[in-house]
Amino acid sequence: MTMAVTVRRVLAFASSSSAPFFNLNQNANLRYILPSPRHLSAFSEDGSVADKFHKWHNGGGTLHESASIDSTALVEVGAVVHSESIVGPNVRIGSGTIVGPSVTIAHSTNIGYNVALSNCCIGDSCVIHNGVCIGQDGFGFYVDGDGNMIKKPQMLNVIIGNNVEIGANTCIDRGSWRDTVIGDNSKIDNLVQIGHNVVIGKNCLLCGQVGIAGSATIGDYVTMGGRVAIRDHVSIISKVRLAAASCVTKDIKEPGDYGGFPAISIHQWRRQVASRCQALTKREGNRPLLVGSHEVMMGLSQVPRFLWVIEMSFKNVTFEFSCKHICDLLHSSSSSNSKIAFILAACNNNLCRISNSRVSFIRKQINQVTHILARTSRLYSSQQLFIVFPHCIDILLINEIR
């Protein structure tokens, strides 16, 4: 009932509406068909108003009868190939992909799911990943005399070379005064925006989130790190590498490595970064840096341990340290004026008061001497001793006695 009502409404609109739809009296051959429950199609035998799509035998996709498609091409279910398009041998078109009118796809190209292709020509052995949009209008507007935004005509195409790979959700706009071109063997990462009229040379590498504004010209063997931005109408010579997050605001005329905002020679950029760091360090004031503060704190933490072992009259004690430098200083007889040297000198004096004591180095493991001291102290412990225990031993000692 619903489809019948829909047909009657379309007929009524066609015969009564003043809109430019069609006239039943002018075309006696017009007929209506319902090829599927989802589609209501109307076409005339002379093709003036036509919707002539058919199911493709290899994959179950849909194609227009005027499209030229090789018998080895795979068009999956849900993919649509529109009129006048050309699909070469061994091409694979994933589900949900729309191949617009007059699009050309050369042989052995693999197109993923939900790709939109229009106004473009794709070369041999390309890989177009999911969600890519190629051939849509570029972002071009001007302000007229009344102050209104007017869209500039975008009438040209996108030309993709051979062996090009385009990552997911990348967008490439069609040209307005020249074709947008991607050279052979270039590789483009995900989420890249390429504006209208951009020309990219051969063997270029564009990492994720690169943005190239309209009418830029990129040479061969150019590499762009992530989030690189290229200003419109900029030219970049071949064999240039751009560091991540760089911004090119003017032409680059010599090969080499560039970085920064605005992009300059990589060596000059690094010098600028180093000078800024030095300026920030000076701006912090005259506060001295705590060089070796970790070792100083470790040395200070050993003083109460030595005093506690002496007070307990322990013998044959091996002190283990996880810091190699501390062990070397305790074994060394040389004198120094550093803070850590004074602290460890006091530790050495206390170490001499403990019979048969030794110092050894352990690599990143729990200091076993603390557990040994805690277990041994159970034989000598009293309530008064808990008051003077170093905090580093206090918790372990209580756990051992429990």
Side-chain angles (χ1 to χ4, degrees):
M1 292 296 294
T2 304
M3 288 188 291
V5 171
T6 304
V7 171
R8 286 198 294 272
R9 287 178 179 175
V10 172
L11 288 171
F13 172 75
S15 59
S16 62
S17 175
S18 60
F21 189 65
F22 49 78
N23 192 330
L24 292 174
N25 298 326
Q26 293 177 354
N27 193 346
N29 296 324
L30 188 67
R31 54 183 174 151
Y32 290 87
I33 60 172
L34 292 175
S36 67
R38 287 187 174 184
H39 299 88
L40 177 64
S41 300
F43 69 88
S44 61
E45 290 182 355
D46 62 4
S48 59
V49 180
D51 189 13
K52 303 177 181 179
F53 286 88
H54 308 283
K55 183 177 179 180
W56 181 241
H57 67 87
N58 188 7
T62 304
L63 73 154
H64 194 273
E65 64 178 17
S66 65
S68 176
I69 180 169
D70 190 87
S71 60
T72 60
L74 171 66
V75 182
E76 294 184 358
V77 174
V80 180
V81 180
H82 282 267
S83 60
E84 307 296 333
S85 293
I86 300 174
V87 180
N90 302 312
V91 170
R92 180 189 179 278
I93 301 176
S95 298
T97 292
I98 304 298
V99 180
S102 303
V103 169
T104 300
I105 305 173
H107 71 80
S108 304
T109 289
N110 190 347
I111 298 175
Y113 304 117
N114 299 314
V115 175
L117 303 177
S118 58
N119 310 300
C120 64
C121 176
I122 300 176
D124 304 336
S125 304
C126 293
V127 178
I128 313 296
H129 289 280
N130 304 337
V132 170
C133 294
I134 300 176
Q136 63 279 352
D137 285 352
F139 192 75
F141 300 88
Y142 68 93
V143 181
D144 65 4
D146 298 327
N148 300 317
M149 282 286 183
I150 307 299
K151 183 180 178 65
K152 291 182 179 180
Q154 312 285 318
M155 302 299 292
L156 299 181
N157 302 311
V158 177
I159 300 176
I160 308 294
N162 301 326
N163 299 300
V164 173
E165 183 164 349
I166 301 175
N169 297 314
T170 289
C171 297
I172 305 175
D173 296 339
R174 67 191 296 198
S176 60
W177 61 270
R178 68 177 180 183
D179 290 335
T180 303
V181 178
I182 310 296
D184 296 344
N185 301 301
S186 291
K187 311 300 178 184
I188 301 174
D189 199 358
N190 303 335
L191 297 169
V192 172
Q193 164 64 30
I194 299 175
H196 56 185
N197 312 314
V198 170
V199 175
I200 297 177
K202 301 177 181 179
N203 297 286
C204 291
L205 187 67
L206 279 61
C207 296
Q209 297 187 350
V210 164
I212 304 178
S215 303
T217 303
I218 313 297
D220 302 333
Y221 300 97
V222 173
T223 300
M224 301 182 188
R227 301 184 65 185
V228 165
I230 309 295
R231 182 188 170 186
D232 59 302
H233 295 88
V234 162
S235 295
I236 299 177
I237 199 170
S238 300
K239 298 183 180 179
V240 167
R241 297 193 303 177
L242 295 167
S246 302
C247 181
V248 179
T249 59
K250 59 182 181 180
D251 294 349
I252 296 179
K253 301 178 180 180
E254 294 183 4
D257 297 342
Y258 295 83
F261 187 170
I264 55 177
S265 170
I266 197 73
H267 302 293
Q268 184 180 355
W269 176 55
R270 288 171 179 168
R271 285 195 294 269
Q272 289 182 357
V273 172
S275 63
R276 289 195 192 102
C277 293
Q278 292 175 0
L280 289 174
T281 304
K282 293 179 180 178
R283 197 176 303 170
E284 291 289 333
N286 296 323
R287 293 180 298 173
L289 296 176
L290 296 177
V291 180
S293 57
H294 173 70
E295 295 177 350
V296 171
M297 295 302 298
M298 184 174 291
L300 287 172
S301 67
Q302 307 310 313
V303 175
R305 293 186 181 186
F306 285 111
L307 295 176
W308 186 72
V309 170
I310 293 172
E311 184 179 351
M312 297 295 295
S313 301
F314 290 152
K315 299 179 180 180
N316 301 320
V317 176
T318 300
F319 294 91
E320 296 177 341
F321 296 89
S322 60
C323 180
K324 185 68 165 57
H325 187 53
I326 292 282
C327 289
D328 293 340
L329 289 175
L330 285 172
H331 285 114
S332 176
S333 58
S334 60
S335 60
S336 175
N337 293 327
S338 64
K339 186 181 297 186
I340 185 64
F342 283 116
I343 295 172
L344 295 181
C347 292
N348 263 326
N349 292 333
N350 294 325
L351 192 63
C352 295
R353 297 167 59 186
I354 304 172
S355 301
N356 298 325
S357 60
R358 294 173 300 280
V359 175
S360 64
F361 168 70
I362 57 172
R363 189 178 300 277
K364 292 184 180 180
Q365 63 185 38
I366 298 174
N367 196 338
Q368 298 296 326
V369 68
T370 303
H371 296 284
I372 295 173
L373 291 175
R375 287 193 294 269
T376 307
S377 63
R378 287 182 297 178
L379 304 175
Y380 305 96
S381 61
S382 63
Q383 294 296 327
Q384 289 77 13
L385 286 177
F386 285 96
I387 301 175
V388 297
F389 282 159
H391 181 69
C392 58
I393 300 177
D394 187 22
I395 297 175
L396 288 175
L397 179 60
I398 293 174
N399 290 336
E400 291 290 341
I401 293 176
R402 286 177 183 174

